[in-house]
Each structure stands twice: as C-alpha cells, then as structure tokens.
Amino acid sequence: MTNCEATMIDVLYIAVFVAFFALMVAFVYWCDRIIGKNDASSIDDIDDIGDGSTAEQPGSASTVKTPQEVTS
C-alpha cells in the first residue's frame, strides 16, 4: 500500500465518521419535530420538597407503608 492510498483511506474513514454523526444529529432533530420536545427536560422543572415527593405528587412518599404498619 502506498502512502497515497493510506491517506485516501484515512480521509474516507474521517468522512464516514463525520457523516454518521451528522446523520444521528439530523435524526434527533427530526424525531423532536415528530413527537415534540420533552417538557420536563430542564432540572428547574423538578421541585424537590425534601421527603422524596415532588410538587406534582404531594405526600406520595408518606403513602408507602412499612411491613410493621401493614400487620398492625
């Protein structure tokens, strides 16, 4: 294999690599247009109260019973 052939293989490899990632980015944008963006994608949308529940589910952590509470 000559030096020119090796250089062409390297260029072809890099072109395929860049084309693959460009295709994947285009696919993600296309899917976002079809199904819409995720509304809860920001960490600011999650409001932790401190007991494991969120603002959308108040008190959900207190409804879980331990085995002692179930038997008594």
Side-chain angles (χ1 to χ4, degrees), residues 6-29:
T7 304
M8 288 302 295
I9 291 172
D10 290 342
V11 169
L12 182 64
Y13 176 77
I14 292 170
V16 168
F17 190 77
V18 169
F20 173 77
F21 279 100
L23 184 64
M24 294 301 108
V25 169
F27 182 69
V28 168
Y29 282 122

Side-chain angles (χ1 to χ4, degrees), residues 31-67:
C31 288
D32 278 345
R33 290 195 66 192
I34 292 174
I35 61 174
K37 294 189 181 216
N38 188 0
D39 292 335
S41 62
S42 174
I43 194 70
D44 296 333
D45 295 339
I46 300 171
D47 184 23
D48 290 332
I49 295 174
D51 61 352
S53 62
T54 61
E56 290 84 15
Q57 302 167 349
S60 63
S62 63
T63 59
V64 177
K65 294 184 178 181
T66 63

